[in-house]
Amino acid sequence: TNTTLSLQEESALSLLTVKVVQAAHIPWADLMSNADCYVCLWLPSCTNKTVQTRTISNTSDPVWNETFQFTLCNNVKNVLHLMLHDEDVITKNDLLYTLTFDVGKIPIGETKLETFRLNPSGPETLQVQFTVQEFKGYCEKILTNGVIVAREMTCLDICVDKQRIPENLKGKRLTLVVEDSCEKKSKLELSPCTGVADHMQTCRFHYVTRWDPKLTADLEGTDQQNIQIIPVRSLHMGQEQKILISPVPARPLEMKLKTKDCTEKLNVRMGFSLCDDEKLYLSKRKKIVANTLKKLLNLDRDLEAHEVPVIAVTTTGGGVRAMTSLYGTLSGLKKLNLLDCVTYITGASGSTWSMSKLYEDPNWSQKDLSPHIQDACRSVTKSKMSAFTFERLGFYREELSTRAKMGYKTSFTDLWGLIIESMFYDGVNDAKLSDQKKALAHGQNPLPLCLAMNVKANECSTLDYKEWCEFSPYEVGLLKYGAFIRSEDFGSEFFMGRRTKPLPESRICYMQGLWSNIFSINLMDAWYAAVSSENFWHCFTRDAVHELDDDEEALRKRRLSSSDLSTRLVEPPSNFNRKMREILTNRPLDGSHHNFTKGLQMHKEYSTHEGFCTFDDTKLDNSPNNLTPFTEELCLVDSAYYINASFPPLLREDRKVDVLLSFDYGLSDKFKSVERTKKYCSDQNLCFPNVEVSEEEKANPKECYAFQNCGNPKCPTIVHFPLVNDTFKRFKHPGVERLTDQEKEEGIVQLDGRSPYRLLNPTYSKEDFDKLINLTEYNVENNEKMILEALRQAITCKQTCKPRDYGTEMH
């Protein structure tokens, strides 16, 4: 069992009163009249609903003096959106301006009148009065890791007895809406009872306890004035209450309602440390690594726990090329007796395909890898046309339809996963990600970690918004928020940290489709991949945002409390820009999944928490209402959209990796993966060695490079292997020259031009497969000395430096 590392806090509650006073100098909306203005208020930490003022017609200086109230949880980041609209009877209402205001700036017990500038260079203003009052004697217990917050939650259960449905209502539909809930809407078909076990129809709504939801019950055929609206707070907690609904008073429909506190423990682990299962694995693996290093390096004594280096293998994507190359890499490490020194293996895209197959064998690294390589050869060299027959397409359709009925989010990514399964497996593969825990039970294999990125489906390019999502046999987690769930629970529905609809764990093929989701691309990503620049298109895809807190007093307060967010003015895009954004950022083949952080809210000091990893170019990090916990779905794509590498899971501080064996399976730009990772680490203040390669070496790269940690014990040493054919052309084994014509032919591996290993080629000849296996195996074996030297230096560094707190001991 993994402990939840979140802390319980007592959060005071406050009452926020917002009085929308007036606006001034609003420009004409059309040629015929002044604007017809109204203001919408959106505060999603307090309600799902958007509330609005009345419309003031035909004036540039509308006056409302309307008041709205919200119940605040003080330990949550409460950011209010104020949106000024122009109402239009004929066409769609125009959004004129959007303001975001951090309510935490208003001290409790004070009233503040704010006049917001709506145009940095014009006279337009909006005047709003804020009052925050303490709810004395009321508080709320929350759970938080300092970035995300789980609040108290309540369930509303609704039940209809089919045996008591009046004849005149059978076959009709009952629509139930609780807007301030996770589910929002549910529909019950009032079908006849078919048996004793089938006589109850139920549904459940989950909502934040401190909210004030209302249940709307709309029975088909009922007049609009007879729709039932029931304040949920009027129900007595834990007591069943009957409600009668009917178009005919003499024959009503009976509905039973009951509310109860959701006291279940969180199913989301909130914390930035490693889970207990991984810590236990590390204590077992460390002993194996220590014994192996002693023999391999001829050490004169056993290593103490703090002297054992953490060694990791990290790989890139590249489709079948990456899948094949990883087999060769691991074979080379196996022949050098280095596999038992490795604690982690990370994969991205195609390299995860071979990892998934290997970990079906609980003892794969303890065995000869030849049978695994022969099996891979058979699947890589066979024709892939069978994956696209009418019979197979029918199977895909039926499989995806079944998943959708079960409640999974389905997308093209799932179809791609089924195609991968058909191409590289003989039939349906029932293996699951959590099954790989058997391969870790005794620390007998390296721990596999796979990587994806969470992006915005239709709003931003990948470079403008991205978050790392890590997959292990133990957990799936969004690193930025310190939010993790059991790997078995990925795909289930969650709200406020609790699993609200459990679903069976998906087969591994669906994970493979997700990890290699190269198809969820938009035009912005394609443009960047082609020319490495998005600058021209940013005017269409990024909002025009202006910081309004530029006076001395506001700046002084922000310096005293850096968690306060500045007030921002967001200019809505023109119709042309809006259409361009839709074209450039839409992902027609996205990969949507249930969001396990759904409903969780942002802590009031989330932006200053050291665990909250952000990207410099991700502007939405300062707009908490647009972050992942407030979205319905995850959109997970191949990490190669940003860095074609799998370094990030190994850079988590608690993993304390000392040596990274980096294998880049790209056909061009052999150092791009490490150079981009270096830039990422510089932006994040993470330790990563300098990557210095001359232009001459980039043009003619060697087989192996060592990028040293320069004496910083927290900085890993990188031993980098580009995919090159250097000395392999002359040597079939290290030190054994090629003599015959056949041997020389076997040394010709075409890695450029019309290479057989290009990304979109799923089928190799046996000759090409063998060449790539032999090349990647040779490149490892031929650089044994460099690898062993890196291991010796890592041990020396750990022996001479102050021990780091590893948290696990060898048992």
Side-chain angles (χ1 to χ4, degrees):
T1 302
N2 293 322
T3 56
T4 299
L5 299 180
S6 53
L7 297 176
Q8 189 174 84
E9 293 182 2
E10 289 257 341
S11 175
L13 301 178
S14 299
L15 179 66
L16 169 67
T17 301
V18 181
K19 183 178 181 180
V20 181
V21 182
Q22 62 183 0
H25 307 295
I26 304 303
W28 283 23
D30 52 53
L31 297 176
M32 303 299 295
S33 68
N34 287 305
D36 305 316
C37 291
Y38 65 93
V39 176
C40 289
L41 296 86
W42 181 50
L43 186 52
S45 56
C46 299
T47 175
N48 286 337
K49 294 176 289 189
T50 298
V51 295
Q52 70 181 64
T53 66
R54 68 187 185 280
T55 301
I56 306 298
S57 300
N58 193 24
T59 177
S60 59
D61 301 300
V63 177
W64 294 280
N65 285 320
E66 289 191 50
T67 299
F68 304 88
Q69 291 188 323
F70 304 91
T71 301
L72 304 179
C73 175
N74 292 354
N75 285 21
V76 164
K77 178 60 75 175
N78 297 294
V79 176
L80 176 67
H81 288 232
L82 296 158
M83 295 158 282
L84 182 65
H85 292 262
D86 171 44
E87 187 176 274
D88 198 312
V89 177
I90 299 175
T91 62
K92 184 179 178 181
N93 294 347
D94 295 317
L95 173 61
L96 303 179
Y97 309 99
T98 297
L99 286 161
T100 63
F101 179 74
D102 186 351
V103 176
K105 295 178 182 180
I106 307 297
I108 295 175
E110 292 190 14
T111 296
K112 190 170 184 180
L113 183 65
E114 295 276 0
T115 300
F116 299 110
R117 290 181 292 118
L118 299 179
N119 186 340
S121 58
E124 300 94 322
T125 59
L126 175 66
Q127 194 174 75
V128 183
Q129 179 179 283
F130 300 93
T131 302
V132 179
Q133 297 168 296
E134 181 183 0
F135 268 134
K136 292 185 178 180
Y138 289 90
C139 63
E140 180 179 359
K141 292 180 180 179
I142 64 172
L143 288 169
T144 181
N145 61 7
V147 172
I148 49 177
V149 171
R151 299 181 63 181
E152 295 175 356
M153 190 170 76
T154 300
C155 303
L156 169 63
D157 289 322
I158 302 175
C159 176
V160 173
D161 189 342
K162 291 184 180 181
Q163 294 176 329
R164 306 187 67 174
I165 297 176
E167 286 295 326
N168 64 310
L169 297 181
K170 287 181 179 178
K172 294 189 178 294
R173 178 182 296 171
L174 177 64
T175 301
L176 302 166
V177 177
V178 181
E179 192 172 344
D180 269 335
S181 72
C182 167
E183 294 79 8
K184 295 184 176 63
K185 179 185 288 189
S186 183
K187 295 181 179 180
L188 298 181
E189 300 290 340
L190 303 180
S191 54
C193 181
T194 58
V196 177
D198 181 50
H199 74 284
M200 302 302 289
Q201 257 189 319
T202 62
C203 68
R204 171 174 285 185
F205 293 95
H206 299 83
Y207 60 92
V208 178
T209 303
R210 295 296 176 180
W211 288 7
D212 188 16
K214 291 180 175 57
L215 168 66
T216 301
D218 183 4
L219 181 61
E220 186 179 354
T222 303
D223 292 337
Q224 193 72 22
Q225 61 267 25
N226 291 326
I227 292 176
Q228 292 274 0
I229 300 178
I230 304 157
V232 177
R233 279 193 178 176
S234 66
L235 304 176
H236 296 289
M237 188 72 69
Q239 296 181 16
E240 190 173 85
Q241 184 170 331
K242 295 179 182 179
I243 302 293
L244 301 179
I245 308 174
S246 177
V248 180
R251 289 175 289 176
L253 173 70
E254 183 178 283
M255 186 171 64
K256 297 177 182 178
L257 278 60
K258 185 178 180 179
T259 57
K260 65 175 184 177
D261 288 327
C262 296
T263 56
E264 299 91 347
K265 292 183 179 179
L266 295 187
N267 302 110
V268 174
R269 182 177 73 88
M270 299 196 303
F272 292 90
S273 63
L274 305 180
C275 68
D276 290 347
D277 287 332
E278 184 171 339
K279 291 177 183 177
L280 180 60
Y281 161 81
L282 290 175
S283 69
K284 297 174 181 178
R285 185 65 178 176
K286 186 175 287 189
K287 186 174 182 179
I288 295 173
V289 172
N291 291 336
T292 305
L293 286 173
K294 182 182 178 183
K295 297 174 185 176
L296 194 64
L297 301 178
N298 297 314
L299 303 178
D300 55 5
R301 65 172 178 83
D302 292 338
L303 292 172
E304 296 182 21
H306 73 274
E307 296 175 330
V308 182
V310 178
I311 303 158
V313 168
T314 179
T315 63
T316 66
V320 178
R321 179 180 66 251
M323 172 185 171
T324 305
S325 297
L326 181 54
Y327 280 112
T329 293
L330 296 175
S331 178
L333 293 172
K334 176 71 177 176
K335 290 183 177 180
L336 296 179
N337 298 313
L338 282 167
L339 262 184
D340 279 343
C341 300
V342 176
T343 299
Y344 294 101
I345 294 180
T346 63
S349 199
S351 59
T352 65
W353 303 348
S354 44
M355 289 170 61
S356 300
K357 273 203 167 187
L358 285 170
Y359 279 88
E360 292 176 17
D361 181 350
N363 296 295
W364 70 267
S365 69
Q366 308 302 311
K367 300 177 180 178
D368 179 11
L369 294 183
S370 298
H372 290 287
I373 294 175
Q374 291 169 7
D375 180 63
C377 179
R378 185 173 55 82
S379 62
V380 168
T381 57
K382 73 176 183 180
S383 170
K384 305 301 185 295
M385 294 306 297
S386 60
F388 303 97
T389 62
F390 284 114
E391 180 183 1
R392 204 64 189 161
L393 294 175
F395 166 75
Y396 301 155
R397 181 178 179 179
E398 182 179 348
E399 179 87 357
L400 294 178
S401 175
T402 301
R403 280 177 64 81
K405 290 176 182 176
M406 293 173 67
Y408 289 101
K409 294 282 185 182
T410 57
S411 64
F412 179 83
T413 303
D414 295 319
L415 174 60
W416 172 231
L418 291 170
I419 293 172
I420 293 172
E421 181 182 62
S422 294
M423 290 194 296
F424 300 114
Y425 291 84
D426 294 328
V428 172
N429 178 27
D430 289 325
K432 301 177 178 65
L433 178 59
S434 65
D435 293 341
Q436 297 178 5
K437 286 187 280 192
K438 298 173 186 174
L440 308 173
H442 309 292
Q444 69 269 39
N445 298 298
L447 173 61
L449 299 169
C450 297
L451 187 65
M453 281 195 314
N454 181 48
V455 298
K456 293 288 186 183
N458 298 307
E459 302 168 41
C460 306
S461 72
T462 301
L463 285 193
D464 278 338
Y465 190 87
K466 52 198 173 291
E467 302 167 339
W468 298 121
C469 187
E470 171 189 296
F471 293 77
S472 85
Y474 302 128
E475 290 188 317
V476 177
L478 288 168
L479 304 186
K480 175 176 177 176
Y481 305 101
F484 299 86
I485 58 172
R486 299 186 315 153
S487 56
E488 295 95 326
D489 291 336
F490 181 75
S492 294
E493 294 185 37
F494 285 77
F495 180 71
M496 199 56 76
R498 284 90 167 177
R499 189 178 60 244
T500 56
K501 184 177 181 180
L503 293 174
E505 183 180 1
S506 296
R507 295 190 286 115
I508 195 70
C509 69
Y510 293 107
M511 299 295 101
Q512 293 172 326
L514 182 163
W515 296 328
S516 58
N517 181 12
I518 60 173
F519 302 102
S520 186
I521 193 170
N522 57 37
L523 288 180
M524 283 286 284
D525 294 332
W527 178 266
Y528 182 83
V531 301
S532 296
S533 173
E534 291 186 337
N535 294 336
F536 174 76
W537 303 105
H538 277 161
C539 61
F540 301 114
T541 60
R542 285 185 174 175
D543 289 324
V545 178
H546 304 279
E547 306 283 346
L548 299 185
D549 289 350
D550 56 0
D551 61 279
E552 287 297 322
E553 180 64 17
L555 291 174
R556 186 185 69 81
K557 287 185 177 180
R558 287 193 67 196
R559 282 193 291 269
L560 293 175
S561 178
S562 58
S563 62
D564 284 349
L565 301 179
S566 62
T567 302
R568 294 174 140 206
L569 170 67
V570 182
E571 293 184 18
S574 65
N575 288 333
F576 175 77
N577 281 20
R578 188 181 297 111
K579 292 295 182 185
M580 285 296 295
R581 175 178 296 197
E582 291 172 0
I583 293 170
L584 292 169
T585 63
N586 181 51
R587 299 178 188 273
L589 302 176
D590 67 353
S592 59
H593 306 269
H594 288 301
N595 177 11
F596 56 86
T597 66
K598 180 180 176 180
L600 294 170
Q601 298 183 0
M602 305 305 296
H603 192 271
K604 65 179 181 180
E605 296 177 349
Y606 81 93
S607 60
T608 59
H609 194 282
E610 61 180 7
F612 185 68
C613 281
T614 66
F615 293 87
D616 282 353
D617 50 7
T618 300
K619 307 300 182 185
L620 288 184
D621 288 335
N622 289 318
S623 182
N625 297 341
N626 292 312
L627 292 178
T628 298
F630 288 94
T631 60
E632 290 289 323
E633 303 171 352
L634 300 177
C635 182
L636 296 172
V637 302
D638 193 324
S639 61
Y641 280 127
Y642 177 57
I643 301 176
N644 185 21
S646 51
F647 286 101
L650 302 173
L651 300 174
R652 288 177 61 184
E653 186 175 354
D654 282 12
R655 292 209 165 110
K656 303 176 173 66
V657 176
D658 299 291
V659 179
L660 276 163
L661 303 179
S662 164
F663 295 91
D664 190 328
Y665 301 134
L667 292 180
S668 61
D669 210 342
K670 312 292 185 178
F671 303 93
K672 190 174 185 178
S673 61
V674 286
E675 288 178 334
R676 282 202 170 179
T677 302
K678 170 59 182 175
K679 183 182 184 307
Y680 162 75
C681 290
S682 297
D683 293 341
Q684 303 299 323
N685 293 318
L686 297 173
C687 292
F688 199 84
N690 288 328
V691 179
E692 297 178 352
V693 186
S694 67
E695 292 301 319
E696 182 180 347
E697 287 180 312
K698 287 186 177 182
N700 299 288
K702 298 182 295 185
E703 296 163 352
C704 184
Y705 293 81
F707 304 115
Q708 300 293 338
N709 61 22
C710 303
N712 183 348
K714 290 187 177 182
C715 185
T717 292
I718 311 297
V719 183
H720 184 64
F721 289 82
L723 183 60
V724 297
N725 186 6
D726 187 12
T727 62
F728 182 71
K729 289 180 286 191
R730 294 184 293 113
F731 296 90
K732 59 180 181 181
H733 300 293
V736 181
E737 287 195 55
R738 300 184 184 276
L739 300 176
T740 66
D741 289 343
Q742 180 179 348
E743 289 176 345
K744 291 178 181 178
E745 169 62 26
E746 290 170 352
I748 300 173
V749 186
Q750 189 175 356
L751 298 176
D752 51 15
R754 291 291 297 171
S755 172
Y757 309 114
R758 59 192 179 275
L759 179 63
L760 298 181
N761 182 20
T763 305
Y764 299 165
S765 68
K766 186 177 186 306
E767 179 185 5
D768 289 331
F769 178 88
D770 290 341
K771 283 183 176 182
L772 190 55
I773 288 285
N774 294 334
L775 170 66
T776 48
E777 180 182 272
Y778 168 89
N779 282 354
V780 173
E781 292 184 275
N782 197 46
N783 291 280
E784 178 184 14
K785 291 183 179 179
M786 190 173 289
I787 297 173
L788 295 181
E789 180 58 27
L791 302 188
R792 287 192 185 94
Q793 289 182 10
I795 292 173
T796 300
C797 180
K798 297 179 79 65
Q799 288 173 336
T800 56
C801 296
K802 182 179 178 180
R804 294 155 73 186
D805 180 16
Y806 278 77
T808 55
E809 297 296 331
M810 293 185 292
H811 300 294

